[in-house]
Amino acid sequence: MFGRWLRVRYFLAFWLFVLSGVAFLDRTNISIAGLQISTEYGLGNQRLGWVFSAFLIGYAGFQVPAGWLSARFGPRRVLTLGVMSWGVTTVLTALLPSGMPFAVVFLIGIRFLLGAGESVIYPAANQFVARWVPLQERGVINGLIFAGVGAGSGLTPPMLTWLITHHGWRTAFWCSAIIGFAVGIVWWQSSRDTPEEHPGMTTEELKEIRDGLSFSATTSSSAAADSEAADSPISWRAILHRRDLPALMIGYFSFGYVAWIYFSWFFLYMAQVRGFDLKASAQYAMLPFLSMTVCCLIGGVLSDRMTRRFGLRMGRCGLASIALFLTAIFLVLGAQVHSPQLAGVILAGGAGALYLSQSSFWSVSVDIAGRSSGVFSSLVNMGGQIGGAVTASLTPWIAQRYGWTNSFSFSAALAIIGAICWLMVHPEQPLDHDAVV
């Protein structure tokens, strides 16, 4: 039994979990250091929101190129270069001098470049899943990869708060960059674009992978056939004519909007609205991300089990729809309770409910698109990141004019829209790869 888990694909999936965690360390460190950065450069919440949005605009704008690059050059090279670029932009942030005029312009530019660099992480990871992971394992593998979101974001508040308190916010950014460089080197050394290329691949594992890849199930199982499938043209016509692609994009827009309330504003919300000090805010800011980590893993396992028992539509779509409905309930309740501690716990429950659906978004992209999943998932992810970019600026605007309760109520309404969108998705109907432009 133990020997079954000694598989190359499981180690690489675990390292994608680590890379996912580092990605969210790099993108959320600015929200933890936001109070200090805002004070040092005289930004205020509105202009800080512009800085948050800049990352997401870069991230969303480069999704399709990232998907194309991942499909064309493979997840190994694309992701390694991406991780190195995260480190460089994080270093540039730390190097900004105090009292610098127009610092907000430089911060916006740097965060835009960070977003562009990070755009490769999940299209490349999804390309890995399409090439390496059998259909019956995609839910749990995607759950593991995206559990890195919660792990990275959850470890960020206490770790960076300690560094900021003792050594200043720039030290926190230097540490983020060093960690990124280190994990990128390990990925380059240990990964390969296809199972056939990996020196540690066994005949047994290679057969498991080939037999479980749905898009190559009707083709020869030879390495040459797999290589040809990987290098074949992207099915642009088939992708753009999918009727459920807009539903997935709108659904992920809703997901991204809600998620980025936690990534961008939850720490500041607990400090400014609920009255916690820096240390208490960091402790409570961990709760949503721990909840995300656990529930992302649970969601992946549930998705695979429900798929085996009830089929793809129920296993992917039904689970995600229920999860988003639950998210809306938690958001409304958490914003209205009077106890700050109870509010933190309930809102953390909303984050967990949201991430029960995370694996479904990415697994269904592979189920539908197969070898074109890098591009297909990048389009879906673009919708999510646009939602996040809107959150970064719209949330403080709504809160300032109508109160934080209405900010959370608006996000709950979007979660319900996302739940409805999932009812229109059909992963049991794969992409027609013969429709090539």
Side-chain angles (χ1 to χ4, degrees), residues 43-325:
L43 302 182
N45 278 2
Q46 199 69 52
R47 284 190 289 179
L48 191 60
W50 300 346
V51 176
F52 293 163
S53 292
F55 168 86
L56 289 157
I57 292 169
Y59 192 89
F62 282 83
Q63 279 300 302
V64 174
W68 180 83
L69 287 170
S70 299
R72 176 68 180 83
F73 297 104
R76 185 189 184 211
R77 281 177 287 180
V78 170
L79 194 46
T80 301
L81 290 174
V83 176
M84 295 303 153
S85 76
W86 312 346
V88 170
T89 52
T90 303
V91 167
L92 289 176
T93 307
L95 290 175
L96 280 180
S98 249
M100 179 181 185
F102 306 109
V104 66
V105 176
F106 288 93
L107 284 168
I108 287 171
I110 291 170
R111 295 299 290 186
F112 178 86
L113 292 174
L114 175 63
E118 285 208 10
S119 67
V120 303
I121 173 69
Y122 297 118
N126 219 36
Q127 199 68 44
F128 165 83
V129 171
R131 296 180 181 185
W132 279 79
V133 180
L135 186 146
Q136 67 271 18
E137 296 175 357
R138 287 174 184 166
V140 69
I141 293 296
N142 274 311
L144 173 63
I145 292 169
F146 284 93
V149 173
S153 303
L155 292 172
T156 298
M159 181 179 76
L160 296 192
T161 297
W162 185 89
L163 285 170
I164 291 167
T165 301
H166 291 83
H167 303 286
W169 68 267
R170 285 181 172 79
T171 301
F173 277 73
W174 280 108
C175 288
S176 298
I178 291 168
I179 292 170
F181 289 136
V183 299
I185 291 169
V186 173
W187 170 257
W188 172 257
Q189 292 294 332
S190 62
S191 69
R192 296 294 184 274
D193 289 324
T194 64
E196 293 78 17
E197 296 175 290
H198 203 286
M201 181 59 57
T202 65
T203 304
E204 180 187 2
E205 183 178 3
L206 186 58
K207 185 177 186 304
E208 287 178 1
I209 293 170
R210 286 174 173 169
D211 290 347
L213 297 181
S214 61
F215 66 86
S216 61
T218 59
T219 66
S220 168
S221 62
S222 68
D226 285 345
S227 176
E228 182 182 349
D231 293 335
S232 63
I234 295 168
S235 308
W236 289 104
R237 183 185 297 277
I239 289 172
L240 296 177
H241 281 75
R242 283 290 301 202
R243 294 183 179 180
D244 47 6
L245 177 59
L248 279 167
M249 292 181 70
I250 294 169
Y252 211 44
F253 174 94
S254 302
F255 180 102
Y257 187 96
V258 176
W260 275 91
I261 285 183
Y262 293 99
F263 298 133
S264 296
W265 294 111
F266 190 75
F267 181 86
L268 293 174
Y269 169 75
M270 297 305 288
Q272 295 178 349
V273 181
R274 292 295 185 170
F276 288 110
D277 60 24
L278 185 64
K279 182 178 179 181
S281 294
Q283 291 172 344
Y284 273 89
M286 286 181 63
L287 293 179
F289 305 118
L290 294 175
S291 183
M292 288 176 184
T293 304
V294 173
C295 290
C296 198
L297 292 167
I298 292 172
V301 172
L302 283 176
S303 180
D304 282 343
R305 288 186 178 180
M306 290 174 67
T307 296
R308 285 194 292 269
R309 185 167 182 180
F310 302 110
L312 279 170
R313 188 152 162 74
M314 187 61 191
R316 308 294 195 224
C317 308
L319 174 64
S321 183
I322 293 168
L324 286 165
F325 272 117

